[in-house]
Amino acid sequence: MANIRAAILAGEFSDVGKLPLPAYYRGITVHADETDMFAGLPSRDKDPRKSLHLDEVELPQPAHGEALVAVMASAVNYNTVWSALFEPVPTFTFLSRYGRRSALAARHDRPFHVIGSDLAGVVLRTGPGVTLWRPGDRVVAHCLSVELESPEGHGDTLLDPDQRIWGYETNFGGLAQIALVKANQLMPKPRHLTWEEAAAPGLVNSTAYRQLVSRNGAGMKLGDTVLIWGAAGGLGSCATQLALAAGATPVCVVSSAAKAELCRAMGAEAVIDRSAEDYTFWRDEHTHDEREWRRFGSRIRELADGDVDIVFEHPGRDTFGASLYVARKGGTIVTCASTTGFVHQYDNRHLWMKVKRIVGSHFANYREAWEANRLVAKGRVHPTLSRTYPLEDVACAVYDVHQNLHHGKVGVLCLAPRDGLGVEDEESRGRWLPDINRFRSRPPR
């Protein structure tokens, strides 16, 4: 690994493909024999620092249509948290099912799981059939893994029966020195960004793009009012930027005054600090408080001068009833993930009698991911990286995300020895630097 790292840091990208590959590399793993370690504990009390390991892993070889990438930087997503907590089910359930598909897929069914669904790095090797990418290319990766042997996925690859999330439902993910990806996951690294900045937007920006912009999601248009939960987090901060870039009005919901200031710094004017205004949408574990829904809706109309056209949902159980209620008649609630719980409860009268739509959205297809990455390369959407951790401290990074002690995205330095490396276009970077550094200049609460 030392020679590979040295060549990349020296800018000798054409030589990378000539260097020998190591037999083993370091990666962040969970272990199959530890999946019961948190049995009986509520989610909040589960500690990912106990379940995540930095292991030496045997290097897989790229098969047809695959590539090995030297990972300079990666990032933490909420699926990293789920992997570490073994919920809603241990990821080994996915790997075992995938492993039964073929002899090649069986490589993923191991007693360890190298996790992580973001990366920025350099192509090391490509398998047979790969023509678009070659060793030495600087790339980022999206996390959609598909087989496309069935007809269902050819209109929208997310409908492929064999669609999986790389690094969550497949092995050899991005929180490592080397990652195994399908070549059609690769996209050009934005030239004005450092390695860690380029790794940060991948999953969250593509997810937000499909949810809001794509016709497969809400189809956001000029003038729409968009309610965005967790607007200063990794996913919500991308949604906020996309809404502003599209001429929509984001109504940003956050959990602290510091996060409210971050939203205003991005250009949002309508911001609700949920903690300061003390919204409590549940009277008890089983009963919604509709009075709080009405109070919340009144506050939104006061700030946005109108009703909500689109609700950008991802917290799930805690907020879904309120989201459905505040959307206007004929409005859209577009949902991915459920970070506060997967079982949603809502009053269906507000759905059917007001002809609202609930749209499910799960990451993005390749075209949507490519378009989302292009917006980053053009400086229309910026990374919201707040801090980075070395690979050795990933467990602490995941703990911070699990406990909501962060804002924006939390990055991980893999082969990159420090922040600030990998920039190719200094001129564009200088023009956008205040926006790129916006989340770094404000400490988390």
Side-chain angles (χ1 to χ4, degrees), residues 87-323:
E87 62 179 40
V89 296
T91 55
F92 296 97
T93 302
F94 309 136
L95 302 184
S96 175
R97 185 182 305 130
Y98 188 24
R100 293 193 294 270
R101 188 180 186 278
S102 68
L104 280 174
R107 296 174 298 164
H108 294 260
D109 185 10
R110 307 294 295 274
F112 61 85
H113 183 188
V114 184
I115 61 174
S117 298
D118 279 324
L119 72 74
V122 177
V123 176
L124 289 176
R125 297 287 192 277
T126 57
V130 178
T131 59
L132 184 61
W133 306 100
R134 62 190 63 187
D137 286 342
R138 284 152 280 190
V139 295
V140 293
H142 71 78
C143 63
L144 182 68
S145 174
V146 292
E147 308 299 333
L148 294 181
E149 291 186 349
S150 300
E152 293 91 337
H154 284 264
D156 176 5
T157 49
L158 271 175
L159 301 183
D160 184 10
D162 285 308
Q163 172 266 317
R164 295 173 179 85
I165 297 298
W166 162 72
Y168 180 61
E169 295 169 298
T170 74
N171 216 324
F172 314 116
L175 286 167
Q177 294 174 322
I178 297 177
L180 177 70
V181 300
K182 293 184 182 297
N184 61 16
Q185 291 177 237
L186 298 176
M187 304 179 293
K189 172 191 169 291
R191 292 169 49 83
H192 67 287
L193 296 180
T194 66
W195 295 114
E196 65 276 8
E197 291 161 357
L203 185 151
V204 290
N205 189 40
S206 300
T207 300
Y209 184 94
R210 182 180 174 101
Q211 274 191 271
L212 288 183
V213 180
S214 172
R215 61 186 176 187
N216 292 313
M220 178 178 61
K221 65 184 184 301
L222 182 72
D224 278 346
T225 296
V226 184
L227 180 68
I228 300 173
W229 293 100
L235 185 60
S237 59
C238 289
T240 299
Q241 292 184 76
L242 288 169
L244 289 166
T249 299
V251 180
C252 298
V253 186
V254 294
S255 59
S256 71
K259 292 180 178 181
E261 283 305 309
L262 277 170
C263 292
R264 294 187 181 98
M266 284 188 285
E269 297 178 359
V271 183
I272 297 174
D273 180 351
R274 182 179 171 187
S275 298
E277 300 188 29
D278 195 27
Y279 291 105
T280 306
F281 298 132
W282 292 78
R283 294 177 187 171
D284 56 48
E285 187 179 350
H286 306 289
T287 311
H288 285 123
D289 189 343
E290 192 163 329
R291 293 172 302 180
E292 286 289 270
W293 294 354
R294 290 195 292 270
R295 184 166 75 93
F296 185 55
S298 296
R299 179 62 171 145
I300 293 170
R301 286 190 294 274
E302 175 188 334
L303 291 170
D305 192 29
D307 291 323
V308 173
D309 299 287
I310 299 168
V311 181
F312 183 85
E313 246 291 343
H314 55 95
R317 183 183 185 278
D318 284 359
T319 60
F320 198 84
S323 293

